[in-house]
């Protein structure tokens, strides 16, 4: 969808490390809703752009940000493109996402 091409760069900027906490939470929540309501094929070209910011947000010290980022990671793993998982071709991203999620879930804070 054409409007995703316009939205994704702004969502990526809002998830950036320099963004304020409330903006990050809202942007990640918005991204989660987009992933829920759109087919995975719509996000195939945006995963590599959004991926690093989402993975970095999983490791954020603020629990609200990391909680929503974990939900986004869960939604990303369920995205399907042409009958195959969207992340099947992005093994480097999958490895970094797995490491960040595993680290967050195994921490005792």
């Amino acid at each position: 969808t054409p409007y995703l091409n316009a939205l994704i760069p702004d969502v990526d900027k809002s998830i950036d490390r320099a963004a304020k906490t409330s903006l990050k939470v809202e942007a990640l929540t918005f991204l989660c809703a987009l992933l829920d309501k759109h087919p995975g094929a719509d996000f195939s070209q945006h995963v590599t752009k959004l991926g690093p910011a989402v993975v970095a947000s999983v490791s954020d010290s603020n629990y609200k940000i990391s909680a929503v980022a974990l939900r986004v990671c869960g939604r990303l793993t369920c995205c399907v493109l042409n009958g195959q998982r969207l992340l099947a071709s992005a093994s480097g991203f999958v490895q970094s996402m797995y490491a960040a999620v595993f680290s967050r879930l195994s921490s005792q804070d």
Side-chain angles (χ1 to χ4, degrees):
T1 53
Y3 61 88
L4 281 179
N5 293 331
L7 285 175
I8 295 299
D10 293 329
V11 170
D12 187 45
K13 284 183 214 168
S14 301
I15 300 172
D16 189 80
R17 284 216 179 268
K20 297 211 180 257
T21 300
S22 58
L23 179 60
K24 275 187 181 183
V25 170
E26 290 299 322
L28 286 165
T29 303
F30 178 69
L31 183 56
C32 202
L34 280 176
L35 287 165
D36 274 345
K37 301 298 179 189
H38 289 78
D42 291 351
F43 291 94
S44 61
Q45 62 186 354
H46 304 295
V47 170
T48 54
K49 181 163 181 67
L50 289 171
V54 172
V55 168
S57 296
V58 169
S59 304
D60 200 282
S61 61
N62 185 307
Y63 75 95
K64 288 181 181 179
I65 293 172
S66 63
V68 180
L70 285 168
R71 285 195 345 221
V72 171
C73 286
R75 299 300 191 285
L76 278 173
T77 59
C78 294
C79 286
V80 175
L81 172 65
N82 297 330
Q84 295 188 7
R85 294 228 182 255
L86 180 63
L87 299 180
S89 62
S91 62
F93 171 65
V94 171
Q95 292 297 328
S96 63
M97 183 173 67
Y98 175 80
V101 169
F102 186 76
S103 172
R104 175 52 76 181
L105 293 178
S106 64
S107 70
Q108 303 215 358
D109 58 356

